[in-house]
Structures are given as C-alpha cells and as structure tokens.
C-alpha cells in the first residue's frame, strides 16, 4: 500500500467522519462509482454522495462540514472544476483527500491530504487510482466500523497484476473482433448495474464519445426496461457488462432481452475471468476493475482499426471552454 | 393539498426519519431527481439516495431500516420492480410512502402509506405526482427541521395551472418548429444539471428512446467537458435545458460551447418563462416542472409529424421481459 494511503488512513483514525463526498469529472468521477457501491452495501454509519465537481460546488450540499470526507481525483491535478471543488470543500472545513498522478499539481497544492498514485507500464495495480479508491473506503470502514474485509481487499488487489496480464491476453482476440465488427458504427450503447455502472459510464463518455467520437449512453440495466429498450433492434449495438456483485440479476435480465431482440451485442462477463487470488468477500467490488482493463483493449483496437488514435481531440485542451 | 399527502405528513411527525430513499423506474424515477436536489440543498439532518427500483433491492443498502423513509412511485401501481422494492423496504421496517394513480393497484396494497395523485385534463397541478414529491420533501423538512419554505412551495404550486396554460401556449410554435426541424434525426442529446437533470433524463429515455425510438443520452452539463463534448459537430442535435437553480452556471457554460461549435441546438431556458406567482425561495426547484410541461409538447409535436404516436410500443407491455 502506498505511504500516502497509509497517511490518509491515519487521518481517518483521528477525525470524526459521517459522510463521504466522491468528487471528480469524467474518467476520474467514473472510478468512484464502485466505492459508492461499497459504502452503500457495507456501511452502517457513513453516508455518501457522488458528484461531478462543478455540480458539487454549486449544489453546495447543506451537510458538507468538518465531518465530511471529500475524496477528489484528477490525473494531472489540473482539472479546474476539481481543484476548485477541493479548495471549496477545504474552506468549509471538510477533510480533503485528493488523488493525483502529479505531486506538484494545483490539486496537490490545494488539498489537505494528497495521494500520488501510480500509472503506466511500471505501475503496480495496487497503487493505481481505482485501487486506491477501494483501499480508502475499506480502510475507512475498518477504522470506523471494524469492517473486516480490508486485508482481503489488499491481497486481492496485489494479485491483480498477474490476473490482468493473463485475462487481457485471453481477451485480446475478442477485442480485435469487436473492432473489426463495430468500426463503422455511429452509436454504441453500454450497459451495466451496481458496482459496474461506473465502467459502462467511463466507456461511454471517455472512450466512445471523447476518444472515438461515437455516440454513446451508459444504460442502467434496471432502467433499461422503463424506456431505453424500446430503441433496440437488430442493428443497435450494445456492449453489455456482467459483474459479480449483488445486482448481477439485473444485468442477466437485460442480457437475455438484448440477446433475444438484438443482433449487435457484445458481452463482457466477469464470470469468464479467472479471478483466483481475489477473495470471495470482495469479488463483486473488484470485478469492475477487471472489466475495465479488458474493455480498455476494445477501445485500443477500435482506435487502431478506425485510424482515430485515442489521443486525438478537437476541443479538449485545444480551445477555451 | 391532497388528504393523502396530509396523512403522510402526520406520519412524518410521529416517526424518527434520518434518510429518504427515492425509488422508482423510468419516468417515475425521473420525477424524483428534483426532490433529491431539494434535500441536498436544504437538509441538515436527512440524507437521501435515489435508485432504480431493482437496483435498490439488490444493492440492499446497509442503512435501510426503520428510520428510513422510502418514497416510491408507479403510475398504474403495477411496475413489478417498484412493487417489490416497496414490499422489501416495508419488510425491513422502513416507512413506505407510495405514489400512484390507481388506489387499487398492487403498489397501493403493498405500501404502508399511499398517495393517490391526480393526472390528466382535470388534474390540479398541485396534486400531480411531481408536485406531491416536492410537497413531501418540503413537508418533511418543515416538520423535522423547521424549514420555512413549505407554504411558499404550496402557493407556488397552486399557481402553476395558470402559468402552465400560458407558457405552453407561448411555446407551442417552438415545439412545432422543433418537430419540423428534427423529425429525421437518429440521435438527439439532452443536457442539464442540478434540479433539471431529471427532466433531461426523462426526455431522453422516456420520450425520445421509448416513445420515438430515437437514440438519446441525458448529458450532465458539468460532465460535458470531460468527454461528451468531443462528439459535438454541426450536425449533432442537442436539447439544452437551463433552469433557475444554483447550478445554472454549468448549463450556461455548456450552452455557450454548444452554440459555438454546434448548429443543431434547441434551447429551453426557464428565464424566458413568466413565473409570476412562484416564490423566489422555490423557483429553482419548480423550474424543472415547467420545463417538463413545455418539453412534453416538443415530444407531442415530434410524434405527430413523424407519424409515430407516443403510445406506440414494440416491447413494453407486449412481450415478456
């Protein structure tokens, strides 16, 4: 575990905390959904909400105070809305913990506590942003409520590097098939529920819309039957995720329908992953991390076959907004 | 105010309540977003979460107990996931209040407290589902925290019938123009933030996807700049809502960008509505209700010009799912 994470946990020991605000934008927000799911499932005393950074500042929740833990994240630490949200929260007396890759960034300056996470080829998965998020919430639960899953979480995350290398290799061919088959699509939906919804959201807005300029929308597998499913026909592409958490029945039900009435269905099912080394007690919370790593390859292959690099932008970092 | 609402408020006086779960599906879920916004902004003691009914049952939040108020809604009272969610919540000892149009429905049977709301041509707007939602949360806030906005809310809602007749007439021509101009579009985004987001969501999944089979996605005006906006070009249709709540700056910022780089922009701005009779203290919370009524006409006109009635379904109520 990173020393920065340990330091944050020491702070949690010292302070009364009755709620967590998960604050970020885009991809950095999406990696927090699984942690919100954890707190909903596990916590007896700690409430939580998840907001886009600027929404958080303007909504200005009444209950934001010195017992609030505000966890924010921005990779380069420069996302203005997230820097401002952290500054704002700190001014209100909240305990601010910010995750970033850049220790010298504006976010690192403005936050009371900073966790510099790892990223890239040499990163240990345990020390990447999405793992740090789970360590923070399970550490918080252990400290405040005696929740016993923390050590199993850590050992599971430690085993992920190997698991991911293997599973990514296993699914590379599927990623290439996907790219070949879907390269000309103008609209591709994603769908999930529970702990996995953040991954469906991430893929829809960051990979498809932002990085491939393909229309998308992360459907919630439960909401599906109350509107969205009417749009399905044999030509409508849907990427369906199935995880290992308590809401899997929702994903299974939506899968069954989409298999019946659609013909452009891509399925990523965590049951097909060999997750030996991931403890049963946290499998549902960790499945989204594995789904994300596998899915990332789908985007990489799509980018390659479409000759539209994932780094291409027309507005982001290029024009004022 | 409906007698059923008054009865629920009497129950709130008797019981300790520390959180609200807003539980519903599709359109019935969408009408609860503004109330979640109210509690976030106003409440010092009451937490809240909003879930699709089946997500709520399976996520099974740890904190669901006898101090939880679970507000659910289903128009015909037959939505199986919502009936089950209410039964489930009641079994856990929660205080269940269900909104429905049908007093004899399964939902009405299973819920401890029932509010039969009005709907249709002769309905007073005060007694419709979305108004009842606001009455419940402001009533709860008045009872538990001495929040003083309840009477201004009621009088504002009472004035809405007249306001809506006038504003709907004023914007009918715009609705027809919209239908004429957008009838052949395959994808139409909606966008909003804060109290209005539920309306953007409703229009996307219920009107466009469910009732017109047009691809859609309710963009959050803050998240826009962290992925979705990259998909914008001169051909991409966006329906932008602007409300009167604290998050309006997010909507204004996203509008400015979309006006600059897009050419298929439809704007509904609550500042253009004459809301005389709506108190300043609750204007931001009521604006979404007016936006929704105006927007509904846009869908009606679209349905007419496309010869695709809003009542047409291929799956909903027709096939098993």
């Amino acid at each position: 575990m990173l020393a920065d994470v340990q330091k944050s946990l020491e702070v949690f020991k010292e302070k009364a905390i009755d709620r967590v605000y998960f604050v970020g934008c885009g991809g950095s927000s999406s990696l927090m959904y699984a942690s919100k799911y954890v707190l909903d499932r596990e916590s007896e005393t700690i409430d939580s909400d998840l907001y886009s950074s600027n929404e958080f500042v303007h909504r200005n929740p009444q209950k934001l105070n010195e017992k609030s833990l505000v966890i924010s994240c921005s990779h380069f630490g420069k996302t203005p809305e997230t820097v401002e949200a952290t500054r704002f929260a700190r001014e209100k007396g909240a305990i601010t913990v910010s995750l970033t890759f850049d220790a010298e960034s504006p976010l690192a300056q403005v936050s009371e506590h900073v966790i510099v996470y790892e990223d890239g080829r040499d990163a240990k998965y345990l020390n990447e942003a999405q793992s740090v998020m789970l360590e923070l919430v399970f550490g918080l639960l252990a400290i405040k409520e005696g929740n016993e899953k923390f050590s199993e979480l850590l050992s599971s995350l430690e085993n992920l590097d190997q698991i991911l290398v293997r599973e990514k290799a296993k699914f590379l061919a599927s990623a290439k098939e996907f790219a070949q088959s879907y390269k000309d699509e103008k609209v591709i939906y994603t769908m999930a529920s529970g702990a996995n919804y953040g991954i469906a959201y991430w893929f829809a807005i960051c990979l498809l819309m932002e990085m491939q300029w393909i229309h998308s929308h992360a459907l919630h597998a439960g909401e599906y039957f109350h509107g969205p499913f009417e749009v399905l026909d044999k030509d409508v592409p849907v990427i369906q995720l199935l995880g290992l958490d308590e809401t899997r029945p929702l994903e299974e039900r939506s899968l069954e329908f989409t298999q019946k009435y659609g013909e452009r269905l891509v399925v990523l099912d965590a049951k097909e992953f060999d997750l030996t080394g991931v403890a049963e007690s946290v499998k549902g919370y960790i499945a989204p991390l594995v789904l994300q790593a596998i899915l990332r390859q789908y985007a990489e292959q799509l980018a390659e076959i479409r000759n539209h690099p994932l780094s291409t932008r027309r507005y982001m970092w290029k024009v004022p907004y």
Side-chain angles (χ1 to χ4, degrees), chain A residues 36-49:
Chain A
K36 162 72 173 157
Y37 186 82
V38 168
L39 286 183
D40 281 359
R41 291 275 317 152
E42 304 271 345
S43 183
E44 295 164 8
T45 64
I46 302 163
D47 288 291
S48 64
D49 272 295

Side-chain angles (χ1 to χ4, degrees), chain A residues 73 93 110 124 145 158 164 213 230 233 248 251 257 269 318:
Chain A
C73 178
V110 87
K124 274 177 65 79
E145 302 181 4
E158 271 166 346
L164 290 177
W213 305 345
E230 278 285 324
D233 64 28
R248 188 184 166 92
E251 292 164 340
F257 182 88
D269 187 340
K318 293 197 147 184

